[in-house]
Amino acid sequence: MTPIPPPAEELRLLDTELWQLDARRAQLLSRRAWLVAILQKPQAQAQAKAQGTPTSATPPRPETSAPGVQNLLLLLGGVLLTIAAMVFTLVSWGHLGIAGRALVLGTVTLAALAVPAVLLRRGLRSTAESVAGLGLALTVLDAYALHEAALAGTDGTGYAAIASAVLAGVWAAYGLSPATAALHMPLPTALAAAQLPLLLWAIAADAGPYGITAALLVTAGGDTLVALRTSSRSVRVVAAVGAYGSGAWGVLAAGWLSWTATGPSAVARAAALLLLAAAIALGAAWWSQSAKRTVGLTVTSGLLMVGAFGGVLRPALPEAWTVPAHLACGIALLAVMRSGRLPDAVRHGFVWASGAVQALAVLWTLPVLAVTLLGPVGRVAHTWTGAPSDARAAASVDVPWPPHAVTVPVVLLAVAGVLVLVVRDTTWRPRALAGALGLLWATAATLPAVLELPYVAGLSVLGCTVAATLAAAGSVHRATPLRQDTAASGPPSTAPEGTPSPATDSPVQPASARITATLLTLVASLDLAFLSLATQTATLVVLAALTALFAAASWLPRLAPVTAPAALAYAAALACATGAAAHWTPAHTALLVLAVPAVAALLAARLGGSPATVPVEVAGAATGLLAVALARTELPLLALVLALCAVITAGTAVRPDRRPLGYAATALFVLATWVRLASWDVGTPEAYTLPVTVPALLVGALRRHRDPRASSWTAYGPGLAATLLPSLVAAWGDVSWTRPLLLGAVALLITLLGARHHLQAPLVLGGSVLALVALHELAPYLVQVTGLLPRWVPPALAGLLLLALGATYEQRIRDVRRVREVLGRMS
């Protein structure tokens, strides 16, 4: 028998019942606990009252802990004792003899240093730390008292160096002693005191900036060694702070000395200091346990090495070669990639250091590149003023040329070569190739100005650059990874880093390189176009060449969305330049520019659904607006230009997917007519409105023919209103009888047609205009009659009218309803 309900449904019901039972049980247990607490509360209160204790349920919360109070008291005690010792040493010292002085200070110091050992054996660690701090402070006072009493004639800085060294040794020995090894304060304090001896000794010995910098770096090296080898956290923190602090000051000082060094000896000493700092950083990176810290320290070491060797080469080279020399040192760091003895983190750090040097070198070239690309824009204000003396003069029109720029192409080429030859990683390879392409392009763009080539030679080099980058953009295909299944499932490649791999060395490159090459082509072409504005011949030749080049590149579907609009833009510029060369007025030049939107319309129709269709149409519309702007000064030519634009737009609207452009074509036709009428000084409003009304009525009739259910207001309302309303306004201000008579006749005809065909819009509009025209014509006579009648006659006539309307109110309502129904049945 089949169980009812099914097993799955029955199991669900059982689970639901069990869950409800558990919930009910939890609720009952909670209620029971509350009832027990209520019953037990009176008993607890009575017991507390009998014992005299407060009945507060919550005991007061302490605001501080016992260890905190203890530490605060110990700290205050130590501070007060230290202050007392200082006051004794500074004030009461002179009242005692030599024996008394020695006895007092020695006894107090030895007692303060011996007591912590006893306290530690009794387990009073905090008290021992406080007393030990007092003892360490007393040793400083002992050193000060010794100098003031017995060694007052010695050099203060030298004595401070010796004293700090002795104190550091004494404190270290005290902290390492078995009896006081459990104390945390002596060793960090000793390490803090050890920061001073070398620096103070260098100052006392008048070692100069090189000696002081060396002292700082040696101190930083010692701190680094302690930070890497010690296990105590407090000592490691003090050592790290000292290493970074002393090392930073030492590196800054060494860098400044290297930059300002002039002689061979000074250069060598500054380089030695930088190499010492680099060795310290590299040693810390080698022994560091953190991969991130290792990479950071290795990057610092690599940069310091570059600064050292570059500083050695700098005095022997011209100033323009300073950056290339440092760049060469930075590129040399990449040799560690071939070394298998270094840890991976250290190798990565050197690679990042080399990349940082190369990035800084490229940043150094940006001013030259900016002047080369943006300077020619100033040629717009100096069009056709004559050929410049060289490419540099052509580029830097109104801006100064950066100094020491002769080695800019060398830097760009070197970095591009590194990107192409060194970067082999699958992820970074496409980006490196795109960057290399950009650097090669920048080299070609800046080379003519840097070398001061002749003007024509500079244009030729830049033109070849445009063609080369455009060819590169056309030859780049979308990357297709080889053997995707194997790459996805198999183990990573074990080939050496320099071994070419099929996925990375294939000529097939990603689309990012194509986009980069295309953008660089556009920028270079704009730069070339601006440079060519110096002479008329150069302008015409360059614009024609750019138009042909981009038009030829538009045959490639990948480039057409960019190159086709660019070709149209340069063609429009060529048309403008041709008109200017022929000494045409801007209005006549506009007719030549109109050839570009016509070609764009034909090209868009041929392209169909291609991605380049919309960019081509946008470029054509933009050049059409340019033609209108050029023709705005002469109304007859402006009307012709608008009419031609309307023809082009109407031709585009023939396409099924561009039918809405028919409205724009109609608007352009109407606007062209209006401009033509304005050029003829025509002031009659009907001359402006009829060109709108006739096409609108024809379109409305066509729509009613295709869709008989369309409303007459939609089909005929706009066209009729376009003429009737402006003419009505003009008729009311016209003193002659011609316009009102013609307008009334037309309104009567429209009304009759609306009644004949049962169309609401013609009937209402025509009837309203006819009534208003009749009222306008009868108004003078009404005014005359009103002036002849007595003043009481108009109110009396109004009253009689109201009485008559009231008497036939119901009949009039039926008549109004009947009229409304008739109008409602009309379309």
Side-chain angles (χ1 to χ4, degrees):
M1 296 177 63
T2 302
I4 300 175
E9 182 65 20
E10 185 177 1
L11 179 61
R12 186 185 66 80
L13 293 175
L14 291 176
D15 290 340
T16 303
E17 291 292 338
L18 291 174
W19 178 83
Q20 291 177 353
L21 290 174
D22 291 339
R24 182 59 177 169
R25 174 180 173 81
Q27 182 180 3
L28 293 175
L29 289 174
S30 176
R31 181 66 177 177
R32 180 183 182 281
W34 181 78
L35 292 173
V36 170
I38 291 297
L39 294 174
Q40 291 178 353
K41 185 175 182 181
Q43 299 176 1
Q45 290 179 351
Q47 184 179 1
K49 186 175 181 180
Q51 296 177 358
T53 57
T55 60
S56 176
T58 304
R61 180 183 178 184
E63 296 182 356
T64 183
S65 62
V69 175
Q70 167 191 309
N71 294 333
L72 179 61
L73 293 177
L74 292 175
L75 177 63
L76 290 176
V79 170
L80 291 176
L81 289 175
T82 304
I83 294 174
M86 293 175 61
V87 172
F88 172 78
T89 304
L90 297 175
V91 177
S92 302
W93 182 257
H95 300 290
L96 300 176
I98 297 177
R101 300 171 187 174
L103 180 62
V104 171
L105 278 178
T107 302
V108 174
T109 303
L110 291 176
L113 294 177
V115 168
V118 179
L119 295 175
L120 288 174
R121 286 196 298 270
R122 295 179 177 271
L124 302 176
R125 178 185 296 272
S126 299
T127 307
E129 292 283 357
S130 179
V131 177
L134 174 62
L136 297 180
L138 288 175
T139 57
V140 178
L141 294 176
D142 289 341
Y144 171 76
L146 178 62
H147 179 268
E148 293 297 325
L151 303 174
T154 61
D155 179 50
T157 306
Y159 178 79
I162 297 174
S164 59
V166 172
L167 289 175
V170 171
W171 293 348
Y174 182 71
L176 296 174
S177 174
T180 56
L183 294 174
H184 297 294
M185 184 179 296
L187 291 180
T189 308
L191 185 59
Q195 309 299 312
L196 300 176
L198 288 178
L199 178 62
L200 294 176
W201 173 80
I203 296 174
D206 197 14
Y210 293 95
I212 294 174
T213 303
L216 287 172
L217 293 176
V218 171
T219 302
D223 292 333
T224 303
L225 182 62
V226 173
L228 293 174
R229 301 301 297 270
T230 186
S231 59
S232 174
R233 184 176 181 275
S234 58
V235 176
R236 188 165 57 249
V237 170
V238 174
V241 172
Y244 283 111
S246 301
W249 282 109
V251 166
L252 290 176
W256 175 255
L257 292 174
S258 176
W259 184 258
T260 57
T262 54
S265 176
V267 170
R269 284 182 291 171
L273 292 175
L274 289 174
L275 290 177
L276 174 61
I280 294 171
L282 183 59
W286 191 282
W287 294 104
S288 178
Q289 301 297 325
S290 173
K292 292 183 178 179
R293 190 180 299 115
T294 298
V295 172
L297 291 171
T298 307
V299 169
T300 303
S301 177
L303 293 177
L304 291 174
M305 291 180 183
V306 171
F309 291 109
V312 172
L313 297 176
R314 182 180 56 81
L317 298 174
E319 191 170 359
W321 288 89
T322 299
V323 174
H326 286 80
L327 177 61
C329 298
I331 295 175
L333 291 177
L334 295 175
V336 300
M337 295 179 62
R338 303 289 181 180
S339 175
R341 300 179 179 179
L342 297 177
D344 290 340
V346 174
R347 295 167 61 194
H348 292 162
F350 278 122
V351 171
W352 280 106
S354 176
V357 174
Q358 296 176 58
L360 292 174
V362 172
L363 286 177
W364 174 75
T365 66
L366 290 184
V368 177
L369 184 62
V371 172
T372 303
L373 296 179
L374 301 179
V377 179
R379 282 286 162 194
V380 175
H382 306 279
T383 303
W384 296 355
T385 55
S389 58
D390 52 49
R392 180 179 298 183
S396 56
V397 180
D398 298 321
V399 292
W401 183 255
H404 313 302
V406 68
T407 55
V408 167
V410 176
V411 171
L412 295 174
L413 284 175
V415 178
V418 170
L419 292 176
V420 173
L421 299 176
V422 176
V423 180
R424 295 291 179 181
D425 183 72
T426 307
T427 303
W428 289 95
R429 179 70 173 175
R431 305 173 190 175
L433 291 178
L437 179 62
L439 292 173
L440 292 175
W441 172 86
T443 302
T446 57
L447 191 62
V450 169
L451 299 181
E452 295 182 281
L453 297 180
Y455 174 66
V456 177
L459 292 180
S460 302
V461 171
L462 195 54
C464 294
T465 303
V466 174
T469 52
L470 189 58
S475 62
V476 173
H477 300 273
R478 185 175 300 274
T480 304
L482 300 181
R483 295 166 52 184
Q484 295 180 354
D485 297 336
T486 305
S489 59
S493 175
T494 57
E497 241 180 82
T499 305
S501 60
T504 57
D505 293 342
S506 172
V508 180
Q509 301 300 338
S512 59
R514 172 172 54 85
I515 297 174
T516 302
T518 305
L519 294 177
L520 294 177
T521 301
L522 293 178
V523 174
S525 65
L526 287 174
D527 187 32
L528 178 61
F530 282 118
L531 281 175
S532 67
L533 294 177
T535 63
Q536 177 178 316
T537 303
T539 302
L540 296 176
V541 172
V542 167
L543 291 178
L546 290 176
T547 302
L549 181 63
F550 282 104
S554 299
W555 288 98
L556 296 176
R558 297 182 303 274
L559 300 180
V562 177
T563 56
L568 294 174
Y570 284 120
L574 178 60
C576 295
T578 303
H583 303 288
W584 292 355
T585 62
H588 287 85
T589 304
L591 298 175
L592 185 60
V593 173
L594 279 179
V596 177
V599 173
L602 296 175
L603 182 60
R606 183 178 181 83
L607 290 174
S610 171
T613 302
V614 174
V616 166
E617 290 177 340
V618 171
T623 52
L625 292 176
L626 174 62
V628 172
L630 291 174
R632 70 184 185 278
T633 56
E634 299 184 25
L635 293 182
L637 289 176
L638 178 59
L640 179 58
V641 169
L642 290 172
L644 293 175
C645 290
V647 172
I648 297 172
T649 307
T652 304
V654 174
R655 293 160 51 192
D657 56 339
R658 295 292 186 266
R659 290 294 170 80
L661 290 178
Y663 298 104
T666 303
L668 288 173
F669 274 123
V670 172
L671 187 59
T673 305
W674 287 356
V675 172
R676 174 60 66 181
L677 293 174
S679 67
W680 290 339
D681 295 328
V682 175
T684 304
E686 289 77 12
Y688 295 89
T689 58
L690 285 177
V692 179
T693 297
V694 174
L697 292 178
L698 292 176
V699 173
L702 181 61
R703 180 171 183 180
R704 286 277 298 181
H705 178 71
R706 293 181 176 180
D707 185 10
R709 293 178 298 178
S711 173
S712 62
W713 286 103
T714 304
Y716 302 116
L720 294 175
T723 294
L724 291 178
L725 296 182
S727 298
L728 180 61
V729 174
W732 273 74
D734 196 350
V735 297
S736 64
W737 57 272
T738 307
R739 178 177 278 108
L741 178 60
L742 295 176
L743 181 59
V746 171
L748 177 60
L749 178 60
I750 293 173
T751 305
L752 295 176
L753 290 174
R756 170 67 179 80
H757 296 282
H758 301 283
L759 298 175
Q760 191 178 97
L763 182 60
V764 174
L765 289 175
S768 300
V769 172
L770 180 60
L772 291 174
V773 171
L775 180 61
H776 174 266
E777 294 303 313
L778 294 176
Y781 301 102
L782 295 176
V783 171
Q784 293 178 4
V785 171
T786 305
L788 296 175
L789 293 175
R791 295 182 179 272
W792 56 268
V793 173
L797 293 176
L800 291 175
L801 178 61
L802 292 176
L803 288 175
L805 289 176
T808 59
Y809 182 74
E810 185 176 1
Q811 181 63 34
R812 296 297 178 266
I813 290 178
R814 286 199 297 267
D815 295 341
V816 171
R817 288 177 178 173
R818 188 178 298 110
V819 172
R820 187 177 61 185
E821 292 174 356
V822 171
L823 290 176
R825 287 194 296 270
M826 294 182 180
S827 59

